Amino acid sequence: MTITPPALSVFETLESEVRSYCRGWPAVFDRAQGSHLHDEDGHTYLDFFAGAGSLNYGHNNPVLKRALIDYIERDGITHGLDMATTAKRAFLESFQDVILRPRDLPYKVMFPGPTGTNAVESALKLARKVKGRESVVSFTNAFHGMSLGSLAVTGNAFKRAGAGIPLVHGTPMPFDNYFDGQVPDFLWFERLLGDQGSGLNKPAAVIVETVQGEGGVNVARAEWLHALRELCDRQDMLLIVDDIQMGCGRTGGFFSFEEAGITPDIVTLSKSISGYGLPMSLCLFKPELDIWEPGEHNGTFRGNNPAFVTATAALNAYWTDNQMEKQTFARGQQVERALLAIVDESIESAASAESGMSFRGRGLVWGLEFTDKARASAVCRRAFELGMLLETSGPEGEVVKLLPALTISADELDEGLRILARSVRETA
C-alpha cells in the first residue's frame, strides 16, 4: 500500500504546533471500527495504538455503542457535575459488584475531572492532605500527566521542561532494575529515609506505575512491588498506583497490581475506564482516607454521564467472568513468541551475536527496544506506510510500543506482528 500524505492546510495553518501524533501519521482519519481505522482516501490501518490505551475494547465497540445510542435517544442526562443520576448509580453498582467486591478491594470512588492527570492531581492532593506532608516520591522514567502536579512526579526531561517553572515537592527514586540488578532494591531510598542529614523530607506518598508505558514499557517485578508496599507501610507513606494506562485489563487482570498481590492505598484510573474513548477518570482510595470536605476538589466535567453508560456496559460485557483476562494472556503469549522470532532473525542476519534489540512486556503491552535509538521511529514510519499505527516510547523514543485493543482477534494480531517484523527487517 502506498500512502500519499494529504493536504493538511487547515491543520498546519490553524492548529497549534503542539500537535504530535498527526506528524507521524499524515492521514485524515474518518471512520473506525474494532482494530481498524479508515482515512478519507479509503486507506485502512490496523491499530496497535488503541488511543494510547483509551480503546481497550476497540473502536466503536458495538455493545458499548448500542448502550450509548439508546441512552442518548431517550434523552438521558449528559452533563451532571456530581449530581446523582441513574447512569452514575448503574456504574457505581456495577463497579462495586463486578470489580471491587470480587477482589476484596474496599475503595471509595471519587470522580475528579475527566482526564488521567486530573485523577493524579486529586490523588496527590489527598495524600498530602491525609499525611500533612508535601513531598511525594516517584520513579525514574515515570509519566503521570501534563499538569503541574503530575509533571512534578514525571521523569521525562522534555515534558518537564514544558512547565516553564520549577517543579517542586517531588523526589525521584530508581525504578525496578534501574541498576541492572547490581544494587539491592530500595537501598538508596531507605537509607535516605533513615538519614536525618539526607535532605529528603518525609514523603506523604509514593506514586508508581507497575508497567511504565510512556517510560519505555518498563515492567516492575511482582516482588519489587511487594517490597515497595512493605516499605511504605514501615515508613508511614501512602502507596499510589497509577493505573491509568495499564489498568482496565491491559496487563491481564483488571488492575495491573493484582499479580503482585498488593492493595494500594490510592489508585488512579482513566483512559479505558469509559470503554469507549469518552473522557472519564476515577480516584479510588481506602475509606479511612476519605477526609475531603464537600466541594474541596471538583471539576465541571466530572459527571460525564455518557461515559458512565459505556463504562457500565464494558464491565458487564467483559468482566463478569475471567474470559477477557484469559484471552489477554493468550494474546500476550502470541506477541511474545513473535517478538522473540524478530530478535532471533536479527541475530541470525547480524555479523555478531548481538541483534541490537530487546523486548519486554505483560499482557497486551509490549515494547521492542533498539540500541540504535533512531531506528524505533523508522520502524514506526515504515509500519504506517504498510498500514499500521505504532508509536514509540522511552526517554529517547528508543522503544516501539505495542498497544493493541484487548478485543483484537488472533488473526488481526498476527497480521500486525507480520507488519512489525517486515518493518524491522526493512529498516535494518
Side-chain angles (χ1 to χ4, degrees), residues 177-301:
N177 205 38
Y178 189 74
F179 294 110
D180 299 319
Q182 298 184 26
V183 177
D185 295 338
F186 308 114
L187 175 65
W188 174 244
F189 190 2
E190 196 144 25
R191 186 162 296 179
L192 289 179
L193 288 169
D195 184 356
Q196 294 300 307
S198 70
L200 175 64
N201 294 332
K202 181 77 171 182
V206 174
I207 185 168
V208 68
E209 304 154 275
T210 66
V211 181
Q212 294 180 326
E214 298 303 308
V217 193
N218 305 311
V219 182
R221 293 167 297 137
E223 55 266 36
W224 186 86
L225 292 167
H226 198 270
L228 178 60
R229 171 72 275 181
E230 292 179 343
L231 174 61
C232 288
D233 290 339
R234 286 197 308 273
Q235 296 289 343
D236 187 33
M237 302 178 298
L238 298 178
L239 177 60
I240 305 169
V241 168
D242 181 342
D243 236 1
I244 287 165
Q245 188 170 81
M246 297 304 155
C248 302
R250 176 53 57 181
T251 64
F254 187 85
F255 295 106
S256 70
F257 55 81
E258 292 180 44
E259 182 186 50
I262 62 172
T263 301
D265 300 297
I266 304 175
V267 180
T268 59
L269 289 174
S270 187
K271 289 193 182 287
S272 277
I273 187 60
S274 82
Y276 203 73
L278 297 175
M280 178 179 173
S281 76
L282 304 177
C283 185
L284 314 176
F285 39 82
K286 293 180 177 178
E288 61 268 26
L289 305 181
D290 193 10
I291 63 171
W292 293 113
E293 296 291 336
E296 191 174 9
H297 186 90
N298 55 34
T300 302
F301 293 100

Side-chain angles (χ1 to χ4, degrees), residues 309-378:
V309 170
T310 54
T312 303
L315 295 178
N316 292 333
Y318 295 104
W319 292 101
T320 55
D321 57 29
N322 61 2
Q323 292 308 303
M324 173 60 74
E325 185 172 351
K326 286 182 176 179
Q327 177 174 296
T328 298
F329 284 131
R331 299 284 190 269
Q333 291 173 339
Q334 185 178 348
V335 175
E336 187 173 14
R337 289 192 296 269
L339 292 179
L340 180 60
I342 289 171
V343 171
D344 286 347
E345 179 184 336
S346 180
I347 292 173
E348 290 173 3
S349 62
S352 69
E354 295 293 330
S355 69
M357 280 182 272
S358 61
F359 66 90
R360 53 190 175 264
R362 276 180 60 196
L364 272 177
V365 53
W366 291 83
L368 181 63
E369 182 174 2
F370 292 88
T371 304
D372 177 2
K373 300 181 190 304
R375 193 169 166 203
S377 293

Side-chain angles (χ1 to χ4, degrees), residues 77-89:
I77 297 292
T78 295
H79 181 275
L81 293 163
D82 68 357
M83 296 183 291
T85 66
T86 55
K88 182 195 281 189
R89 180 174 60 199

Side-chain angles (χ1 to χ4, degrees), residues 7-68:
L8 299 175
S9 58
V10 70
F11 305 107
E12 293 171 344
T13 60
L14 188 59
E15 191 177 359
S16 167
E17 291 299 317
V18 78
R19 65 193 188 278
S20 60
Y21 291 117
C22 59
R23 298 179 189 274
W25 303 327
V28 178
F29 296 101
D30 181 51
R31 296 181 299 108
Q33 208 285 319
S35 289
H36 292 90
L37 294 93
H38 310 275
D39 69 20
E40 63 180 357
D41 295 322
H43 299 119
T44 297
Y45 304 82
L46 184 59
D47 187 6
F48 267 44
F49 174 63
S54 295
L55 296 165
N56 281 2
Y57 311 105
H59 295 269
N60 288 304
N61 181 289
V63 176
L64 280 57
K65 180 168 64 175
R66 184 71 264 160
L68 179 60

